[in-house]
Amino acid sequence: MAGRPANLTIRVTSDSRQAQRDMERMPGRVSGMMNSLKQAGPAAAAAAGAAIGAALVSAINEALEQRRITATLGAQLGATPKQAKRYGELAGDLLAKGITTDFQQAADSIGDVMRAGLLDPTATDKQIRTMATRVSDLANTFGQESSQIARAVSRMLKTGMADSADEAFDILTRGFQTGGNAADDLLDTFSEYSTQFRKLGLDGADAMGLITQGLKGGARDADIVADAVKEFAIRAVDGSEETRRGFEAIGLSADEMAKKFGAGGETAKRALDDTIDRLRAMKDPVDQSRTAVDLFGGQAEDLGAALFALDPSKAVKSLGKVGGSADRMGKTLRSGQTDLQQLYRRLKQELVESINKHAVPALTRFGRWVNRNRDSLVKIVAFVNSRFIVAWNLIKAVSDQVSGAYRRNEKELRPLTNALKSAWRIVSRNLIPILSKLGRKVGTLIGVYIAGFISAIAAAVRFISWFVDWIKSAVDWLAELGRWLSRIKPPGWLSDLAGTIGGIFSASPFSAPDNGDGVRALTATETRALSVPAMTAALRRPTPVVHVYIDGQQISGMVQRTVSGALRNEGIRRRAGSRYT
């Protein structure tokens, strides 16, 4: 019939074979992955989380401790805050390079160098770093106090025992290496007797050589050797009867010797060498011992035969190669550190410095802000806490559901776990090289992020305070809107249209009454149809053909009635409205 809507039949076909194969393979793959994830995932995550947390807490504690040490160092040296910060940065550099074992030792080395007058505040960073490195190397290698080392070097420079600090460190290094510190008194000996060595024309290498000769000859310690030299320096020019008798016993004039020792330098050193050579050459042990006491006092008795082991002309040679000894010792000392250890030190110190630079100031500002807004924060915490309980219960319920699903499908999820384990092995093999390349930036980035995180906390607290006030205003506004809407009646044609649309979908196969909370519950038939076994079985059936039947006449009638009703109601409304214009 002309004008009558036609009925339409649509034939839909699909090939479900590939989908069927995928469904059959999926349980085995997922089960294996889930099993591996169960075994490795929680342990790896827990270990990683614990390691990261411990490292961060350690770094924060270290940062605070370094700030305290730096402030103390500045106070000890009477330095300005800017100078103290500079010393702290240099100490951190010594620690990062593995020169010192901890930050306190690095700060002590720098402080001892500056207090001993080895450098002044105008010294460059390189000069301070080099001097502190020398002190730390000697202290670490031979177990000495950095303050004693710095004091000994200072005395050697002031008395002319060495022309430079580098030379002084080389002399001390060789002294320790050749047994000069057998009684652990070498540093004190040079601090105390450097002036006496100078009187006899001895420099640092000469004095160190004599001390090692005496110790190898049987002297009990360095102090007794130096004390014997001191006693001779006094007697050689005092003109006493004992001195005259002693020099005459070895065929020398006391007056002539007094002039030579008074001249100092090489002349005095040759006179000392001549005196000991003649004393050593005496044949009669009794005369030799008596003459030694006349010239060296009671210290000759304490030294015994060790006195005759002293030979100023061979003293320096007995030390071996002195120049560069400190440098060689430092390189050898640090050669035992692996690249990984150096990387760890550098990363840790960069992290600590970043925390000191970014996070600690942010924390300080945050603490002040908290004190200023304490009352408001208490109210906000109370409000959030009451909502947190509800959120926690919801999270717990979801967690219980997920745990149950995991237990029920553990075998099916095993492929996922295996895949994750393989991925983890790949990541672990490449992790160290990546860290080596990016390590220098990690500390700075983490410090910046921590500072940003602290600042974000403060901003979040301010936002929460504003949001609570906004919610209250919004609730009041919605209540007013509800009262206004309750006084408005919708047009009749709009109700008709809504009813028509609802009628079209009322025959849906999934329509069902809700369960009281606005969510429609699935029927038992629907639940079975949507299960994995049911869908798998459906896919195994022959290729389905779906017929969709559309009754054009029924739809045409619905549309006509809806549109006509809408136009009719709109016309009535317009005519009614024109009466009041």
Side-chain angles (χ1 to χ4, degrees):
M1 182 184 300
R4 178 183 177 84
N7 294 332
L8 175 64
T9 301
I10 303 174
R11 179 184 177 89
V12 182
T13 64
S14 66
D15 185 354
S16 64
R17 287 175 294 179
Q18 182 59 44
Q20 177 179 333
R21 288 192 295 268
D22 292 340
M23 286 290 290
E24 290 174 347
R25 294 170 182 167
M26 183 179 69
R29 294 175 178 175
V30 175
S31 176
M33 294 173 69
M34 194 62 187
N35 185 54
S36 299
L37 180 62
K38 178 182 177 182
Q39 296 176 2
I52 292 172
L56 187 57
V57 170
S58 175
I60 292 174
N61 289 334
E62 180 69 15
L64 295 176
E65 180 65 9
Q66 288 188 12
R67 287 176 70 90
R68 183 193 66 78
I69 293 173
T70 299
T72 302
L73 177 60
Q76 291 173 344
L77 298 178
T80 65
K82 183 177 181 179
Q83 289 174 328
K85 180 182 178 182
R86 177 193 177 202
Y87 295 146
E89 291 173 350
L90 289 170
D93 188 45
L94 294 177
L95 175 60
K97 292 181 177 179
I99 294 171
T100 61
T101 56
D102 54 48
F103 188 83
Q104 182 68 66
Q105 185 192 19
D108 289 343
S109 296
I110 293 174
D112 292 333
V113 165
M114 304 307 290
R115 277 191 295 270
L118 299 180
L119 294 172
D120 58 51
T122 62
T124 64
D125 289 353
K126 182 179 180 180
Q127 289 174 325
I128 297 175
R129 189 184 299 112
T130 299
M131 194 71 70
T133 298
R134 296 273 195 271
V135 171
S136 298
D137 287 348
L138 205 56
N140 290 333
T141 305
F142 299 105
Q144 302 298 304
E145 294 293 332
S146 59
S147 59
Q148 291 181 311
I149 296 172
R151 183 178 61 183
V153 172
S154 177
R155 289 290 295 166
M156 291 174 70
L157 291 174
K158 291 176 180 178
T159 58
M161 291 288 99
D163 294 330
S164 67
D166 287 343
E167 183 182 357
F169 280 112
D170 286 340
I171 292 170
L172 290 176
T173 298
R174 283 305 295 161
F176 277 100
Q177 291 173 337
T178 55
N181 194 47
D184 199 24
D185 63 343
L186 183 61
L187 295 175
D188 286 339
T189 297
F190 268 88
S191 296
E192 180 178 355
Y193 293 101
S194 289
T195 297
Q196 305 303 324
F197 294 145
R198 179 176 55 181
K199 289 180 180 179
L200 296 178
L202 302 174
D203 60 18
D206 293 325
M208 186 66 74
L210 288 176
I211 289 173
T212 57
Q213 287 174 343
L215 290 170
K216 290 178 181 179
R220 70 169 185 264
D221 53 37
D223 181 83
I224 191 60
V225 176
D227 199 33
V229 173
K230 170 190 172 182
E231 186 64 23
F232 177 76
I234 295 173
R235 289 176 176 248
V237 294
D238 67 358
S240 64
E241 184 62 31
E242 292 84 356
T243 302
R244 290 183 178 278
R245 185 173 62 237
F247 278 125
E248 289 175 357
I250 56 177
L252 295 172
S253 167
D255 293 334
E256 289 296 324
M257 295 301 289
K259 291 178 181 179
K260 291 180 178 180
F261 285 114
E266 285 295 323
T267 301
K269 183 165 70 173
R270 286 195 296 270
L272 173 63
D273 184 46
D274 187 25
T275 300
I276 298 177
D277 285 345
R278 289 172 179 266
L279 188 60
R280 187 187 306 112
M282 294 183 71
K283 302 298 183 181
D284 188 338
V286 176
D287 290 340
Q288 185 184 53
S289 176
R290 185 185 305 112
T291 302
V293 172
D294 287 339
L295 295 174
F296 289 88
Q299 287 77 357
E301 296 176 344
D302 295 331
L303 280 176
L307 174 61
F308 309 122
L310 305 182
D311 189 348
S313 64
K314 298 179 181 179
V316 174
K317 187 177 180 180
S318 67
L319 293 176
K321 186 176 181 180
V322 177
S325 296
D327 274 338
R328 291 192 295 272
M329 178 188 66
K331 291 178 181 178
T332 303
L333 180 65
R334 281 179 286 282
S335 65
Q337 298 180 13
T338 65
D339 291 340
L340 188 59
Q341 287 175 318
Q342 293 177 359
L343 173 63
Y344 168 76
R345 284 175 174 269
R346 184 168 62 251
L347 287 177
K348 182 179 179 181
Q349 185 57 30
E350 288 184 1
L351 173 60
V352 169
E353 290 178 355
S354 296
I355 291 174
N356 262 330
K357 183 177 180 181
H358 301 289
V360 173
L363 283 169
T364 302
R365 292 193 298 271
F366 177 70
R368 293 171 182 168
W369 179 86
V370 169
N371 288 333
R372 291 195 303 267
N373 301 275
R374 184 177 303 170
D375 295 339
S376 298
L377 289 174
V378 171
K379 295 178 182 178
I380 292 173
V381 170
F383 174 81
V384 173
N385 183 58
S386 63
R387 272 62 178 176
F388 174 78
I389 295 175
V390 176
W392 174 255
N393 291 333
L394 177 60
I395 292 172
K396 186 176 184 300
V398 172
S399 176
D400 292 341
Q401 292 294 327
V402 172
S403 298
Y406 169 76
R407 288 191 297 269
R408 290 192 299 272
N409 299 276
E410 180 177 352
K411 293 182 179 180
E412 289 77 5
L413 295 175
R414 187 171 295 128
L416 176 61
T417 307
N418 291 335
L420 290 176
K421 289 177 67 177
S422 298
W424 172 249
R425 285 193 294 269
I426 294 173
V427 171
S428 62
R429 284 196 300 267
N430 294 276
L431 185 60
I432 295 302
I434 293 174
L435 282 178
S436 299
K437 295 178 181 179
L438 301 181
R440 296 184 179 181
K441 301 296 181 181
V442 171
T444 301
L445 289 176
I446 292 178
V448 172
Y449 290 155
I450 291 175
F453 176 69
I454 297 302
S455 299
I457 291 177
V461 173
R462 292 194 296 271
F463 171 78
I464 291 173
S465 178
W466 168 84
F467 184 71
V468 171
D469 293 337
W470 181 85
I471 287 292
K472 183 178 182 300
S473 301
V475 170
D476 294 340
W477 182 83
L478 289 174
E480 182 62 28
L481 178 63
R483 288 191 292 271
W484 180 76
L485 290 175
S486 66
R487 297 194 294 269
I488 299 176
K489 294 183 178 180
W493 67 268
L494 183 59
S495 300
D496 294 340
L497 179 60
T500 299
I501 295 173
I504 292 175
F505 294 98
S506 62
S508 170
F510 291 102
S511 62
D514 61 42
N515 56 13
D517 59 0
V519 179
R520 186 187 67 78
L522 293 176
T523 65
T525 301
E526 294 168 352
T527 302
R528 288 192 299 273
L530 293 175
S531 64
V532 172
M535 289 192 290
T536 304
L539 288 171
R540 289 173 177 166
R541 299 190 191 108
T543 302
V545 178
V546 182
H547 295 275
V548 181
Y549 180 80
I550 303 175
D551 189 339
Q553 185 175 4
Q554 182 181 5
I555 293 179
S556 176
M558 288 181 180
V559 173
Q560 289 177 6
R561 287 193 299 274
T562 300
V563 173
S564 298
L567 293 175
R568 183 172 60 256
N569 290 335
E570 182 64 18
I572 293 173
R573 187 185 65 78
R574 288 182 176 274
R575 288 194 296 275
S578 66
R579 294 173 185 160
Y580 302 99
T581 58

